[in-house]
Amino acid sequence: MSNNTEYKVMARTMRPQLFEDVVGQDKTKITLKNAFKLERLGHAYLFCGSHGIGKTTLARIFAKVLNCDASQDGEPCGVCSSCKEIAAACSLDVIEIDGASNRGIDDIRQINESVGFAVKANKYKIYILDEVHMLTKEAFNALLKTLEDPPPRVKFLFATTEPHKIPTTILSRCQCFYLEPITTNQIAQHLIKCAQASNIPFEDEAAHLLAKRANGSLRDALVLTDQLISYCNEDVQLEKAIHFLGLLPKSELFEFDLKASHGELEAAFNLAKGILSSGKSLANFLDMLCEHYRQILYIKIYKGNPSSLQVSQADWPNYEKSASCYSYEQCLHIIDLILETQNKIKNALSKQIALENLLIQIVRSHARVSIKSLIDQLDSLKSNLNTTPLKQELCNKPISTEKPPTPKSPPKEPESKKELSIELPKASKPPKAVAPPTNSDAEKQNICYNTVMQFAAVELEGSLKKEGN
């Protein structure tokens, strides 16, 4: 590379110049192209969404279309003077404003004063306001009148990551487009395409790994790709990508699954020690661990290798072994534990203890009694009760109706002691016992039901004690 040539990162050199080059956002692209072809253009557009998904890019391409000299089928030609000026950010008719640094009422007053300036014949004066939610309340109020009744041939294109901060009076005067995060497959395919355009070897699995780390942001993925290409010396491989991102090799997770299924608590301590001693990112590890058990959960549900998992053929046998170690309820429980740990570990005094506690609970989840198994045990007890001798004995044995035995009279005192005895009032005879009614079938059924519930309570208590131990 020549010393006079400045390198531009892929996020800038690979920025789309046409609607068809934009990754994803099909609904928005179709709407904007048809609005131009049908001449149903609004005076204000608002692009909402997370960072790095194409809000400003769509605004620039739409500005090109509006001022292009030879646009075809809603696409800019890219070769006319207007398209070149907009691409170079030096057009006098397309003005880009950063809402974060030009957020005051004085800045908006300048816009209000300049909107009436003349433009080229059959062209538009276009204002692109990025991060428009950063404007002050007074600035929005100053912009409101111009936005409500703009001069002819003036368009406003807004972009924001936080549309809820924009006043409703502004939102109601804009055509709003809510952009969606770009899918992992779309990002991975675009990274491979960019690498091929630069003649750089790039493994597909490494591209998918970077796409997952980007969380729907294409710009983040391109920035990571630039770094990874420099680290790998223009030969991007999966192993190098894992090491670069500070992730754990999947083989260690598969090994941990097998040891955890045998209740080896040492595996939890060894895994935590290996992560912390190697300086790997704890947040990245928790994300990877959550994704690992999510894939196992998918396998348990779909009973196969669904295309949404993107599991390679080399890893599929290992995932099958790991899936056999866990139940459906276990996976849900473990994912809940990981999500809870992600929230707690930010403020934990000892991150090592928090991580070890999580991994130990994953190991102990194999001895955890599931609710389904307890219900099955209760159903088994209830079904077996009809054939047990205890049920026959309890249901068939009538309640005793015999009179209670009459207490024996005390022995008579000798004649010599009669003068010493105190004459007590005679006790009234006890009332005659009334025979209770004979047990009905409903009473027998209640007795059997209570016996079942007693057995169920004892069984449940024993299962919980086993789980606690």
Side-chain angles (χ1 to χ4, degrees), residues 234-295:
E234 297 188 348
D235 184 13
V236 180
Q237 300 176 1
L238 178 61
E239 294 182 0
K240 293 182 179 180
I242 291 175
H243 188 268
F244 170 76
L245 295 174
L247 301 178
L248 197 69
K250 288 184 179 180
S251 58
E252 296 192 26
L253 291 180
F254 296 138
E255 183 180 356
F256 173 74
D257 292 333
L258 295 177
K259 292 182 178 179
S261 63
H262 295 92
E264 299 182 18
L265 294 175
E266 299 86 354
F269 290 100
N270 294 335
L271 182 58
K273 181 180 178 182
I275 294 168
L276 297 173
S277 61
S278 60
K280 289 182 170 58
S281 171
L282 193 55
N284 289 345
F285 169 72
L286 292 178
D287 289 340
M288 183 179 182
L289 192 66
C290 189
E291 179 67 19
H292 175 72
Y293 286 105
R294 172 183 168 273
Q295 291 179 331

Side-chain angles (χ1 to χ4, degrees), residues 97-133:
I97 301 173
D98 179 19
S101 56
N102 300 276
R103 59 194 303 265
I105 188 172
D106 293 333
D107 301 303
I108 301 302
R109 282 174 180 167
Q110 293 179 6
I111 295 177
N112 293 338
E113 293 171 358
S114 64
V115 290
F117 291 171
V119 295
K120 296 179 181 179
N122 299 324
K123 299 298 179 182
Y124 293 92
K125 195 173 192 65
I126 302 171
Y127 292 89
I128 300 176
L129 273 74
D130 199 8
E131 301 299 335
V132 69
H133 67 273

Side-chain angles (χ1 to χ4, degrees), residues 176-352:
C176 300
F177 296 90
Y178 295 90
L179 308 187
E180 300 174 352
I182 306 174
T183 64
T184 300
N185 288 338
Q186 289 175 330
I187 294 177
Q189 292 174 5
H190 186 72
L191 295 182
I192 296 173
K193 180 180 177 181
C194 294
Q196 291 176 350
S198 302
N199 296 322
I200 297 176
F202 207 110
E203 290 188 0
D204 293 353
E205 294 182 0
H208 280 90
L209 181 61
L210 291 180
K212 289 180 181 178
R213 298 302 308 162
N215 292 323
S217 174
L218 183 59
R219 184 172 62 236
D220 289 356
L222 290 172
V223 171
L224 284 174
T225 302
D226 258 326
Q227 293 177 270
L228 185 59
I229 290 174
S230 299
Y231 174 76
C232 298
N233 195 18
E234 297 188 348
D235 184 13
V236 180
Q237 300 176 1
L238 178 61
E239 294 182 0
K240 293 182 179 180
I242 291 175
H243 188 268
F244 170 76
L245 295 174
L247 301 178
L248 197 69
K250 288 184 179 180
S251 58
E252 296 192 26
L253 291 180
F254 296 138
E255 183 180 356
F256 173 74
D257 292 333
L258 295 177
K259 292 182 178 179
S261 63
H262 295 92
E264 299 182 18
L265 294 175
E266 299 86 354
F269 290 100
N270 294 335
L271 182 58
K273 181 180 178 182
I275 294 168
L276 297 173
S277 61
S278 60
K280 289 182 170 58
S281 171
L282 193 55
N284 289 345
F285 169 72
L286 292 178
D287 289 340
M288 183 179 182
L289 192 66
C290 189
E291 179 67 19
H292 175 72
Y293 286 105
R294 172 183 168 273
Q295 291 179 331
I296 293 177
L297 179 63
Y298 265 60
I299 294 172
K300 302 294 290 187
I301 294 174
Y302 290 102
K303 311 295 183 183
N305 186 4
S307 58
S308 58
L309 283 181
Q310 295 298 327
V311 175
S312 64
Q313 295 297 326
D315 289 337
W316 177 244
N318 294 322
Y319 270 112
E320 282 188 316
K321 291 180 182 178
S322 294
S324 64
C325 298
Y326 298 95
S327 65
Y328 170 80
E329 291 80 5
Q330 267 185 280
C331 294
L332 291 176
H333 175 63
I334 292 172
I335 291 175
D336 286 338
L337 290 176
I338 297 173
L339 295 176
E340 183 180 353
T341 303
Q342 285 179 320
N343 293 329
K344 290 183 177 180
I345 208 166
K346 298 176 183 177
N347 301 321
L349 296 177
S350 175
K351 299 185 184 303
Q352 179 177 359

